Amino acid sequence: MAGPLDQYPTRAGVFDETVAGDGAVREAYRQMVEQFEALGLEDVRSRAEYVSTSYHDQGVTFDYAGEERPFPLDIVPRVIDAQTWAHVEAGVAQRVRALEEFLADVYGAMQIVTDRVLPRHVVTTSAHYHRVAFGIQPVNGVRIHVSGIDLVRDGDGVFRVLEDNVRIPSGVSYVLTNRRAMTATLPEVVGTHRIRPVAAYPARLLRALRAAAPSGVQDPEVVVLTPGPFNSAYFEHSLLARLMGCRLVEGRDLVTQGGRVMMRDTHGMQPVHVIYRRVDDDFLDPVAFRNDSVLGCPGVLSAARAGNVTIANAVGNGVADDKLMYSYVPDLIRYYLDEEPLLPNVDTWRLEDPSHREEVLDRLDELVLKPVDGSGGKGIVIGPQADRAELDALRERVIAAPRGWVAQPVVQLSTVPTMVEEGMRPRHVDLRPFAINDGEKVWVLPGGLTRVALGEGELIVNSSRGGGSKDTWVLSGDGRRTRVLPRAQVAFQTASAPQVAQKRSEAEPSEQEQQQQQVRLPPAGGAPC
């Protein structure tokens, strides 16, 4: 009987997380691989088809090239040993703490500019630095209630930060649903591993949101603000609201009165104290930003300034997401925390620097160029995969607006076995750990979202580019469980998990504009009920 990893190829210069260069299976994966071999390739393949079918039946789909598809969950989990995760966890928490200090500073005293650690123009020319947020002081000092720090492993297996997401990071719903699906699909494999749980995330998030409520509020009303069901991340919005026991609201459900935010319900107007918003800054408050927005609530920013409502994440956080700012984060860690960065950046050229720009323009066909305010893989040009016309057009754009671009070397992302038509083959992955800051501690969800590029050799993992995901197992101790749960008990626990009957995938900031247009019109087939 053929084993799942028979004829599994590895490539020089690429770190495979399961199989070492000499062909030996790494310790963290050894038990899982043995169990997969016992199941046999055909059994594993049939279970993989079951996962796809179940996601389709439950409505866990996403839009790809105008077509609704089941969100791809690969049946082979990604496994991270306890020691490796301890380093990642500490590095992510360190980065979030430094970015919190940075945001407090640039929307306040700007001491980092005075001390000449960071040029003023790097902050003020960022498209996401909003002067209307200047001077707003969060009650408990938290602006980054939720973050998603994207990591990759390079050819040496070193985790590096690829980018920071501290505006509206998305994808945690798939961490929760992936674990549930894997428990149902591979109960005998899950049951023999000591895997750190992920189910505590909604309770942790709610606790952090309640801790951010305005002073003097004993029982804060927390709501989840969504752009509406047309948004690609609506599945996540509704799932988190349900798991936290919070109201899911749209902008039309909220109104400001006397500097306070109120919510319309069947009992009249009710006060709102914390808004976990999934609406971009530009659409959040038509008084402060786009006056044609129908997705937000007029006056909500003034209510936040008055200290009567907390907006999570804070308005203006996007300046810390700017990819030019990303290149300075190691300096921010040293300046604010007096520590050395635990997780290194990917080497980055700042194209506003003439010497950097000259070098990069000579090497466009070797490097990756990224727009500083891009997301979801949009706008990225991978030099070795681009043709001459693309590179010539890119050169013109860089010369015209160098502040809008950074360049990085092509990082050969690590690979993990992935079930494809030919069997299990290596595919490139990244990792988005999610962190929650409640004002006392930065808690990092064990594992996070592993995204996988399903095409052979593909390096962009985003679902908007056809990528999928994996369940990420962070092992506890040596990872082995001495007692195996009976199948009936596993089935009962799985049946007790929250049911999923929604839609969509990870949100991209640019989709807010599309949503703004769609929300004006009734769905096809008539007016809404």
Side-chain angles (χ1 to χ4, degrees):
M1 181 174 64
L5 292 183
D6 286 355
Q7 300 179 337
Y8 182 81
T10 57
R11 291 169 48 200
V14 177
F15 182 82
D16 190 273
E17 300 188 16
T18 305
V19 180
D22 60 1
V25 176
R26 301 186 191 276
E27 180 62 31
Y29 282 86
R30 193 164 297 164
Q31 180 174 249
M32 185 193 72
V33 169
E34 290 172 356
Q35 291 173 305
F36 272 40
E37 287 178 346
L39 290 172
L41 182 59
E42 291 309 310
D43 190 353
V44 174
R45 193 187 298 276
S46 67
R47 297 190 193 205
E49 293 173 357
Y50 165 76
V51 170
S52 177
T53 301
S54 67
Y55 264 35
H56 182 273
D57 293 344
Q58 295 174 43
V60 186
T61 62
F62 75 107
D63 181 83
Y64 177 63
E67 177 185 351
E68 285 297 318
R69 300 183 180 181
F71 186 67
L73 168 61
D74 185 64
I75 196 169
V76 185
R78 182 191 203 167
V79 183
I80 302 176
D81 64 80
Q83 183 177 359
T84 301
W85 178 252
H87 177 73
V88 170
E89 184 178 40
V92 169
Q94 179 193 58
R95 200 163 179 104
V96 172
R97 288 188 286 114
L99 292 175
E100 284 278 16
E101 295 283 352
F102 166 71
L103 289 169
D105 192 7
V106 298
Y107 286 110
M110 281 270 197
Q111 192 63 42
I112 193 169
V113 172
T114 302
D115 292 341
R116 299 186 177 182
V117 177
L118 185 72
R120 179 182 295 272
H121 78 273
V122 173
V123 176
T124 57
T125 59
S126 172
H128 301 291
Y129 179 66
H130 297 311
R131 289 172 175 79
V132 292
F134 191 89
I136 297 179
Q137 298 294 330
V139 172
N140 63 345
V142 177
R143 288 174 169 82
I144 309 172
H145 304 81
V146 181
S147 58
I149 309 298
D150 288 351
L151 309 177
V152 296
R153 294 183 88 167
D154 63 18
D156 296 321
V158 175
F159 273 104
R160 293 180 176 272
V161 178
L162 187 64
E163 64 180 50
D164 304 293
N165 297 281
V166 297
R167 278 179 286 172
I168 312 176
S170 63
V172 74
S173 57
Y174 299 110
V175 178
L176 304 176
T177 55
N178 287 354
R179 179 62 52 83
R180 175 176 174 268
M182 289 295 291
T183 303
T185 306
L186 292 170
E188 63 270 70
V189 181
V190 174
T192 55
H193 287 76
R194 295 174 62 193
I195 308 167
R196 293 183 59 181
V198 297
Y201 182 89
R204 288 272 190 170
L205 176 56
L206 180 60
R207 185 186 309 167
L209 295 173
R210 290 174 63 88
S215 301
V217 178
Q218 299 300 317
D219 187 19
E221 180 72 34
V222 179
V223 300
V224 178
L225 176 61
T226 176
F230 290 109
N231 188 267
S232 64
Y234 185 72
F235 158 63
E236 178 158 303
H237 308 165
S238 57
L239 179 67
L240 289 177
R242 178 159 54 85
L243 295 179
M244 290 193 293
C246 298
R247 305 280 187 92
L248 181 67
V249 301
E250 297 181 32
R252 60 189 176 185
D253 300 318
L254 303 178
V255 64
T256 55
Q257 294 180 350
R260 298 179 183 276
V261 178
M262 309 296 288
M263 171 178 57
R264 298 184 180 93
D265 70 6
T266 55
H267 301 289
M269 304 299 289
Q270 306 296 327
V272 172
H273 306 106
V274 181
I275 300 174
Y276 177 43
R277 53 78 174 244
R278 301 300 296 261
V279 175
D280 282 352
D281 287 352
D282 288 345
F283 297 90
L284 183 62
D285 185 342
V287 175
F289 297 105
R290 289 184 52 154
N291 59 14
D292 63 341
S293 173
V294 295
L295 303 180
C297 171
V300 68
L301 200 62
S302 295
R305 184 179 297 281
N308 295 324
V309 71
T310 298
I311 301 172
N313 283 350
V315 172
N317 279 11
V319 65
D321 281 358
D322 188 301
K323 289 182 177 61
L324 179 58
M325 186 63 63
Y326 156 91
S327 68
Y328 288 94
V329 173
D331 296 328
L332 304 188
I333 293 172
R334 298 183 185 99
Y335 176 73
Y336 290 116
L337 306 182
D338 194 24
E339 299 172 0
E340 283 299 309
L342 296 175
L343 295 173
N345 277 13
V346 174
D347 294 339
T348 303
W349 286 267
R350 303 163 183 161
L351 297 194
E352 65 164 10
D353 182 315
S355 62
H356 286 202
R357 186 165 63 252
E358 181 180 3
E359 179 181 355
V360 169
L361 290 176
D362 285 341
R363 300 175 55 197
L364 283 181
D365 59 345
E366 303 173 13
L367 303 174
V368 177
L369 271 77
K370 300 179 178 180
V372 297
D373 58 354
S375 63
K378 295 180 180 179
I380 292 177
V381 179
I382 300 177
Q385 298 178 6
D387 59 29
R388 177 51 54 188
E390 290 175 299
L391 293 178
D392 289 344
L394 175 63
R395 181 185 303 274
E396 293 180 5
R397 294 199 299 271
V398 168
I399 293 173
R403 166 61 175 84
W405 295 87
V406 295
Q408 295 175 335
V410 177
V411 179
Q412 291 296 333
L413 281 60
S414 61
T415 55
V416 175
T418 301
M419 181 61 72
V420 295
E421 187 174 346
E422 299 82 8
M424 287 190 187
R425 295 294 182 267
R427 292 294 185 265
H428 294 290
V429 295
D430 76 351
L431 177 65
R432 176 175 290 182
F434 292 89
I436 293 174
N437 188 0
D438 63 7
E440 296 182 0
K441 178 184 178 181
V442 178
W443 176 78
V444 183
L445 177 68
L449 178 65
T450 288
R451 297 179 296 183
V452 54
L454 297 177
E456 183 176 2
E458 177 64 62
L459 293 174
I460 298 180
V461 299
N462 305 81
S463 62
S464 57
R465 298 284 292 268
S469 71
K470 288 177 172 286
D471 191 16
T472 310
W473 294 1
V474 173
L475 301 182
S476 178
D478 64 2
R480 294 178 180 268
R481 187 186 297 275
T482 56
R483 183 177 67 89
V484 180
L485 292 175
R487 182 181 293 270
Q489 187 174 345
V490 172
F492 172 77
Q493 290 179 349
T494 303
S496 301
Q499 295 298 309
V500 178
Q502 298 291 341
K503 177 185 180 293
R504 305 297 195 254
S505 71
E506 56 189 283
E508 312 288 357
S510 62
E511 290 173 344
Q512 298 288 339
E513 184 131 9
Q514 180 182 4
Q515 170 68 16
Q516 165 76 2
Q517 300 300 321
Q518 289 176 318
V519 80
R520 298 179 187 277
L521 301 173
C529 297

